[in-house]
Amino acid sequence: MTITINTKVTNFKSKLDTPLTKQEINVLQINLGKRCNLACTHCHVEAGPKRTEELSPETCQQLIELIDRFPQIQTVDLTGGAPEMNYGFKPLVEAARQHDKQVIVRSNLTIYFVDGFGDLPEYFANHKVRIIASLPCYLADNVDKMRGTGVFDDSIKALQLLNQVGYGRNQNLILDLVYNPQLPTSEKFSLTPDQVKLEKDYKKFLQEKFDVIFNNLFTITNLPVGRTKLHLERKKLHTSYLQFLESHFNPQTVTNLMCRNQLSVDYLGNIYDCDFNQMMNLPAKTGSGDSLTVAKLLEFGSLDVIDEIQTANYCYGCTAGCGSSCGGTLV
């Protein structure tokens, strides 16, 4: 008897009742580069200590002009790599705060213990930066497996430092944590746990064990992009993982997808609909099919020049179950 194994994944775009379109842009997410003091196994950016790619002075100045010219930008979301290590980080923080925009820094926490970056907790507090910090589990072994030996202990020390300068205590100093699941090693896949329940578990454990407090926990699905994709391919799980995500597609998540109201910018100034498309080199397109740069947006005098969002099958990661975004669950 011949057994036929289904190796197909339904094209994501065909799952949608209508094309996925942009709303008014109010979030500017900037990937400042691939320099990082860590090399996490699940990193979709494939960042690390040996990477040198980072923002140029010219692109940094264009981004500052973009922030200055468009009051509709409510949030400037800085990521990397370790964003703090890459060129232009502090100038972009200060340009955005000058206009009273929310600044988010996606921090790995351990950067505070690298020479030259010890001032960051105080700097963040002084500029009322919102910190979204990666802590993929509240158990040391799981964190160190994903991020490197000793990372959990350093992360706890960093959180304690942030609490000391007011984070998690002062209503203007928001400290959020991010949970990522362990990378699968078999076809026993699972969606991220319930965000509300897991947040309670994190808060109870971290306060009782380490006297650490924080504001929100975001659960984020591992999308098959970057090192996660490479891991899945090595384990021959890539297609089956996509099929698993597809089988949990939830149309209710589509309205709240982060790509709908944000622009993602790489260190070269190219524009994408989201950070995952950026890592997979799938650029955003105008209605006439042209790709975009920060320079072109300044020339157009508008941020709202994209009609339809570019999609791929890894978009199932954002739309499975309760959904996943840079701000956690979507429904």
Side-chain angles (χ1 to χ4, degrees):
M1 183 176 70
T2 302
I3 299 174
T4 302
I5 299 173
N6 179 19
T7 59
K8 291 186 178 180
V9 177
T10 307
N11 185 285
F12 179 80
K13 195 171 181 179
S14 70
K15 285 278 189 180
L16 305 175
D17 294 330
T18 58
L20 192 59
T21 55
K22 285 286 194 192
Q23 299 164 346
E24 185 181 63
I25 299 301
N26 56 31
V27 176
L28 187 64
Q29 187 176 71
I30 306 167
N31 189 303
L32 297 176
K34 297 182 184 290
R35 295 177 65 204
C36 190
N37 59 308
L38 300 179
C40 302
T41 59
H42 64 297
C43 181
H44 69 281
V45 181
E46 300 183 66
K50 294 181 180 178
R51 303 300 295 262
T52 57
E53 306 95 319
E54 66 178 342
L55 201 68
S56 69
E58 181 185 11
T59 302
C60 180
Q61 194 53 50
Q62 290 171 349
L63 285 164
I64 289 171
E65 187 177 346
L66 207 69
I67 291 166
D68 289 343
R69 280 179 54 181
F70 294 100
Q72 73 188 73
I73 298 171
Q74 298 170 12
T75 299
V76 176
D77 185 344
L78 302 176
T79 183
E84 305 97 326
M85 291 185 78
N86 289 276
Y87 181 86
F89 173 72
K90 287 185 177 180
L92 287 167
V93 168
E94 289 157 26
R97 290 303 297 144
Q98 269 189 339
H99 294 282
D100 204 29
K101 299 181 191 295
Q102 176 180 238
V103 174
I104 293 173
V105 173
R106 297 189 181 270
S107 180
N108 69 33
L109 296 173
T110 64
I111 185 66
Y112 309 156
F113 306 112
V114 174
D115 286 348
F117 298 96
D119 68 321
L120 286 174
E122 289 279 358
Y123 178 82
F124 289 159
N126 289 340
H127 290 86
K128 296 183 175 63
V129 169
R130 181 175 184 171
I131 299 171
I132 300 183
S134 180
L135 192 71
C137 185
Y138 55 74
L139 300 176
D141 285 352
N142 287 345
V143 172
D144 287 357
K145 277 179 193 173
M146 293 176 78
R147 312 191 68 206
T149 303
V151 169
F152 180 81
D153 288 344
D154 281 349
S155 297
I156 294 299
K157 289 175 194 170
L159 291 171
Q160 291 168 336
L161 283 175
L162 291 171
N163 283 169
Q164 287 170 21
V165 298
Y167 275 94
R169 305 179 191 280
N170 182 321
Q171 64 178 357
N172 294 315
L173 300 179
I174 304 298
L175 172 60
D176 300 323
L177 300 182
V178 170
Y179 163 89
N180 291 93
Q182 295 285 304
L183 294 179
T185 56
S186 72
E187 291 191 353
K188 293 181 179 178
F189 305 125
S190 60
L191 297 174
T192 55
D194 178 77
Q195 184 168 285
V196 174
K197 181 182 182 303
L198 191 61
E199 180 179 291
K200 289 177 182 175
D201 293 342
Y202 260 71
K203 284 186 171 179
K204 184 173 187 292
F205 185 87
L206 292 177
Q207 186 155 23
E208 288 179 357
K209 289 282 187 181
F210 305 108
D211 196 29
V212 163
I213 60 173
F214 65 95
N215 295 95
N216 308 289
L217 178 74
F218 300 139
T219 57
I220 297 182
T221 300
N222 288 321
L223 266 71
V225 171
R227 288 195 187 120
T228 296
K229 182 179 183 222
L230 293 172
H231 166 86
L232 291 166
E233 288 174 340
R234 279 196 301 269
K235 298 287 185 182
K236 297 182 170 53
L237 295 172
H238 182 246
T239 299
S240 54
Y241 184 61
L242 279 171
Q243 289 173 328
F244 167 78
L245 294 173
E246 181 195 341
S247 71
H248 290 86
F249 173 74
N250 181 356
Q252 293 181 341
T253 62
V254 174
T255 301
N256 297 320
L257 285 170
M258 61 184 178
C259 55
R260 304 202 70 176
N261 66 329
Q262 78 163 23
L263 297 177
S264 172
V265 187
D266 71 8
Y267 62 91
L268 296 171
N270 299 308
I271 305 294
Y272 304 81
D273 292 307
C274 74
D275 194 46
F276 300 111
N277 281 0
Q278 181 183 144
M279 296 312 134
M280 296 300 286
N281 198 26
L282 184 62
K285 300 286 186 182
T286 64
S288 57
D290 297 323
S291 57
L292 288 164
T293 63
V294 177
K296 284 183 183 177
L297 292 176
L298 290 169
E299 187 180 321
F300 292 150
S302 174
L303 302 180
D304 301 301
V305 296
I306 300 165
D307 296 325
E308 188 171 342
I309 294 164
Q310 303 298 306
T311 60
N313 286 344
Y314 50 77
C315 298
Y316 284 121
C318 292
T319 54
C322 291
S324 178
S325 75
C326 289
T329 59
L330 298 174
V331 294

